């Protein structure tokens, strides 16, 4: 099968299957072989599911023969972060203490995708326990450090490391990931793919590992915003067995979102100066391209809260409670990163008063963002302010010296802020650092009010119609 | 009810270990190069970092009638 197939979007793959250019079995076999062969190159593969996927592909081909068409995801292979349970198969949560863990029930999102005819071909690697104890090395995973397809000496981001690498390298057309604070947007930005974090409560987390009940979200990493929209429609929806469920559905109709020329978009020029110097030209050009879509750009500044500290307290307190048995048993010391084990232990010592204070400050943050969204419709900011770090170096080294002192906060802190407020955001590839050698992707974040996914996706779609950064391929040779 | 690790029986854990391909459990070459950092007191550092976060959020004024966000549904 031609390499172009591995980098095609969901709609195209489905169309080519429907017109019988290839069968579901042929498509599935091609992706499975590629995932099994190249997945370990990036430490992206947690569990191949080839035999199950090929059996499923035969059924899907029969559906076409019987004229039973189910929509754009039918016959299209995908991968899932290994924090989502699949009945009867190992679900490791990326952590050695859970290496042989098996659940009896498949996660709700995987069940929903199954009903659309989508075909799960493998579980993908992740940072152990989604990084709930504060990891400080890329190697904080049962599967080794996530390696970036653009440069394997660089990190793929976390905690959805496998989904980021696998989508970027054309090993799966899309993958499900999760975000508690940055785990979709980060890998999407570093690997040069599109990553959508939905509104808190829009997608059921039943069957997913719990890190922080009030912050965990399941989302999508894919080749384009359009692909993310199609997948979100399939996985969204209320669930009485998820206490955080908003009980809402999502229908992907970006064409009925408000016209872009009626939208006011908040941005902060200081964000360019906060970013590392090699990223600045790409980010500046991306803001300009957003302006050329017809929206009105207006300068804003993020409300002043200690977002990173707040996220640390909330995730720490909830994650400590969620993993209390692991910590008490001492098996926490089997984690690859000793800093994580220590972090989880320390999380158990966070006082209730501080957790509650953090949760009460979240109420203030939500109110401030509601106020901000009465003036602007969406915000755009760098998805990350730093480039992919080398995998061999710890993350807690000294910060590089700054060449500029930004004059305002800008929108720095938008990722933890958006997660604390439960708001939807997307990261779209918006450029590359450097010119020839050492080129690495840069991501732009678009964030909106709760349940504004169609508006977020509409702007992202228009940006991707005007640019081709999402079509860039890393140097993958099979 | 959310599915958690508590739903898992130990027998299932032992029986399933063989399903994980051994090659996937081997540490990668890059991980093996990571320095051991054996001299650091990780727990003391973790406690210090949380204490700093607690101090930072203590500086944010919150009126007594502000309730915690994300209460569970009835």
């Amino acid at each position: 099968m031609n390499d172009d197939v591995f980098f095609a979007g969901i709609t195209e793959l489905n169309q080519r299957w429907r017109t019988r250019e290839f069968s579901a079995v042929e498509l599935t076999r091609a992706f499975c072989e590629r995932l099994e062969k190249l997945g370990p190159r990036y430490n992206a593969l947690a569990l191949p599911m080839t035999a199950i996927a090929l059996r499923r592909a035969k059924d899907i081909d029969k559906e076409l023969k019987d004229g039973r068409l189910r929509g754009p995801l039918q016959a299209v292979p995908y991968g899932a972060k290994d924090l989502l349970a699949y009945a009867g198969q190992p679900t490791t949560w990326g952590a050695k203490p859970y290496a042989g863990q098996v659940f009896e029930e498949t996660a709700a999102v995987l069940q929903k995708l199954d009903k659309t005819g989508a075909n799960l071909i493998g579980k993908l690697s992740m940072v152990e326990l989604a990084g709930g104890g504060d990891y400080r090395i890329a190697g904080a995973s049962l599967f080794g450090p996530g390696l970036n397809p653009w440069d394997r000496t660089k990190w793929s981001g976390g905690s959805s490391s496998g989904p980021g690498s696998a989508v970027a390298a054309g090993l799966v057309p899309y993958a499900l990931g999760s975000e508690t604070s940055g785990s979709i947007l980060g890998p999407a930005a570093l690997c040069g793919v599109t990553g959508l974090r939905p509104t808190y409560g829009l997608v059921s987390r039943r069957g997913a590992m719990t890190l922080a009940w009030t912050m965990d979200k399941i989302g999508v990493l894919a080749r384009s915003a359009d692909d993310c929209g199609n997948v979100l429609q399939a996985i969204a929806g209320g669930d009485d067995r998820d206490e955080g469920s908003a009980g809402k559905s999502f229908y992907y109709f970006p064409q009925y979102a408000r016209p872009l020329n009626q939208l006011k978009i908040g941005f902060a020029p200081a964000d360019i100066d906060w970013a590392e110097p090699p990223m600045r030209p790409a980010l500046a050009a991306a803001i300009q391209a957003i302006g050329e879509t017809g929206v009105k750009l207006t300068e804003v500044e993020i409300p002043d809260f200690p977002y990173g500290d707040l996220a640390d307290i909330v995730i720490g307190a909830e994650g400590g409670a969620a993993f209390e048995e692991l910590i008490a048993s001492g098996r926490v010391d089997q984690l690859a990163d000793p800093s994580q084990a220590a972090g989880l232990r320390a999380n158990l010592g966070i006082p209730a008063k501080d957790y509650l204070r953090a949760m009460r400050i979240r109420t203030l943050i939500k109110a401030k963002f509601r106020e901000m969204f009465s003036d602007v419709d969406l915000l755009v900011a760098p998805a990350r302010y730093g480039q992919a770090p080398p995998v061999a170096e710890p993350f807690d080294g000294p910060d590089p010296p700054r060449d500029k002192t930004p004059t305002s906060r800008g929108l720095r802190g938008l990722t933890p802020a958006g997660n604390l407020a439960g708001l939807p955001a997307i990261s779209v590839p918006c450029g590359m650092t450097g010119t020839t050698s050492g080129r690495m992707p840069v991501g732009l974040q678009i964030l909106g009010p709760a349940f504004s996914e169609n508006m977020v996706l509409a702007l992202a779609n228009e940006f991707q119609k005007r640019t081709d950064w999402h079509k860039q391929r890393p140097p993958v040779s099979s | 009810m959310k599915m958690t690790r508590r739903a898992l029986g130990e027998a299932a854990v032992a029986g399933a270990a063989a399903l994980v391909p051994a090659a996937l459990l081997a540490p990668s070459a890059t991980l093996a190069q990571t320095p051991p950092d054996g001299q650091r007191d990780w727990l003391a550092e973790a406690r210090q970092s949380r204490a700093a976060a607690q101090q930072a959020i203590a500086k944010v004024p919150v009126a007594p009638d502000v309730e915690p966000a994300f209460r569970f549904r009835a």
Side-chain angles (χ1 to χ4, degrees):
Chain A
M1 209 166 268
N2 187 302
D3 257 17
D4 287 347
V5 167
F6 301 119
F7 292 91
I10 289 172
T11 313
E12 181 188 333
L13 289 173
N14 172 263
Q15 166 75 13
R16 290 170 72 177
W17 167 72
R18 280 192 286 122
T19 56
R20 293 173 166 78
E21 189 177 323
F22 42 68
S23 68
V25 169
E26 288 166 336
L27 184 67
T28 302
R29 182 173 289 121
F31 268 105
C32 285
E33 284 173 359
R34 187 173 169 90
L35 178 61
E36 286 200 53
K37 183 178 176 188
L38 299 181
R41 183 185 293 182
Y42 307 106
N43 291 335
L45 180 59
L47 182 76
M49 297 179 64
T50 304
I52 295 170
L54 285 172
R55 279 199 300 274
R56 176 96 178 95
K58 281 183 192 168
D59 295 340
I60 294 167
D61 278 334
K62 185 166 185 308
E63 288 174 351
L64 178 61
K65 202 175 165 188
D66 296 344
R68 194 166 169 225
L69 297 179
R70 303 205 233 180
L73 305 184
Q74 194 172 10
V76 180
Y78 74 100
K81 185 176 181 178
D82 198 25
L83 58 51
L84 294 166
Y86 188 96
Q89 296 293 319
T91 300
T92 70
W93 299 345
K96 193 174 178 186
Y98 301 103
Q101 174 172 245
V102 174
F103 292 100
E104 292 174 0
E105 185 180 347
T106 297
V109 283
L110 302 183
Q111 290 184 38
K112 280 174 175 260
L113 284 176
D114 189 65
K115 286 180 183 160
T116 68
N119 200 358
L120 177 64
I121 64 169
K123 297 279 216 74
L124 303 173
S125 65
M126 58 183 282
V127 171
E128 52 192 2
L129 308 183
D134 268 0
Y135 56 110
R136 60 175 286 283
I137 52 171
S141 172
L142 175 63
F143 304 105
L147 306 182
N148 197 309
W150 288 93
D151 178 349
R152 292 198 308 139
T153 70
K154 303 279 174 63
W155 189 40
S156 60
S159 65
S160 303
S161 316
S165 295
V167 174
L171 313 185
V172 288
Y174 69 96
L176 297 186
S178 72
E179 174 153 329
T180 305
S181 190
S183 286
I184 289 174
L185 297 190
L190 295 186
C191 293
V193 303
T194 305
L196 175 66
R197 175 191 81 216
T199 304
Y200 176 83
L202 184 59
V203 178
S204 170
R205 303 160 303 171
R206 178 162 46 87
M209 186 199 86
T210 295
L211 172 55
W213 299 282
T214 67
M215 291 184 71
D216 293 341
K217 281 90 54 186
I218 308 294
V220 195
L221 294 96
R223 309 221 165 283
S224 67
D226 192 54
D227 283 357
C228 288
N230 279 310
V231 177
L232 181 62
Q233 176 166 310
I235 62 174
D239 186 347
D240 288 341
R241 293 168 65 197
D242 177 347
E243 288 289 345
S245 174
K248 286 177 184 277
S249 297
F250 170 74
Y251 297 97
Y252 177 47
F253 289 128
Q255 64 272 37
Y256 299 129
R258 279 170 53 204
L260 294 179
N261 61 13
Q262 291 179 15
L263 296 188
K264 203 167 157 190
I265 309 294
F267 81 111
D271 282 342
I272 307 294
D273 292 341
W274 280 113
E276 288 181 7
M279 304 169 72
R280 291 174 189 161
L283 290 166
I287 301 285
Q288 190 180 338
I290 290 284
E292 288 165 1
T293 63
V295 300
K296 184 182 175 196
L297 284 170
T298 185
E299 291 186 25
V300 293
E301 190 173 59
I302 196 168
D304 188 14
F305 290 100
Y307 298 107
D309 293 314
L310 287 160
D312 284 350
I313 294 293
V314 173
I315 298 169
E318 295 185 12
F323 290 108
E324 188 179 356
E325 288 170 16
L326 174 76
I327 299 162
S329 71
R331 288 187 300 135
V332 69
D333 291 317
Q334 295 174 13
L335 295 179
D337 183 352
S339 161
Q340 282 244 88
L344 284 166
R345 283 198 171 91
N347 284 345
L348 286 181
I350 295 172
K353 71 175 179 60
D354 288 326
Y355 172 68
L356 286 169
R357 185 176 189 85
M359 293 297 278
R360 292 166 66 219
I361 297 170
R362 285 177 81 177
T363 302
L364 303 180
I365 292 171
K366 284 170 69 180
K368 283 286 184 189
F369 270 87
R370 269 199 301 274
E371 200 178 296
M372 185 179 248
F373 283 123
S374 67
D375 185 42
V376 299
D377 298 291
L378 298 168
L379 300 173
V380 295
R384 278 183 59 106
Y385 291 81
Q387 304 174 87
V391 285
E393 290 176 19
F395 304 146
D396 59 353
D399 288 335
R402 296 208 63 83
D403 64 326
K404 286 187 176 180
T405 306
T407 51
S408 83
R409 291 189 298 276
L411 287 167
R412 197 157 175 258
L414 193 60
T415 296
N419 277 285
L420 286 160
L423 306 177
I426 195 166
S427 174
V428 291
C430 72
M432 304 289 289
T433 61
T435 48
T436 49
S437 63
R439 296 175 81 232
M440 293 299 287
V442 180
L444 183 76
Q445 172 177 186
I446 303 170
L447 179 140
F451 305 107
S452 68
E453 277 82 355
N454 269 318
M455 187 161 57
V456 169
L457 288 163
L459 181 57
N461 278 337
E462 186 60 31
F463 180 79
Q464 293 189 326
K465 277 181 194 160
R466 292 162 179 265
T467 61
D468 64 358
W469 299 112
H470 61 298
K471 294 179 181 168
Q472 304 281 315
R473 298 182 193 176
V476 181
S477 59
S478 51
Chain B
M1 192 179 79
K2 277 189 75 178
M3 190 189 304
T4 71
R5 65 194 182 285
R6 293 175 187 86
L8 177 73
E10 288 302 317
V13 176
L19 295 173
V20 182
L24 293 179
L25 295 178
S28 75
T30 314
L31 178 60
Q33 289 163 8
T34 306
D37 287 318
Q39 304 303 312
R40 290 171 66 167
D41 183 344
W42 298 112
L43 189 55
E45 286 187 29
R47 284 179 175 147
Q48 203 171 19
S49 132
R50 278 141 190 82
Q54 288 162 233
Q55 282 170 15
I57 70 167
K59 291 177 190 160
V60 180
V62 194
D65 61 346
V66 175
E67 293 190 22
F70 299 105
R71 289 185 304 173
F72 286 116
R73 287 179 300 139

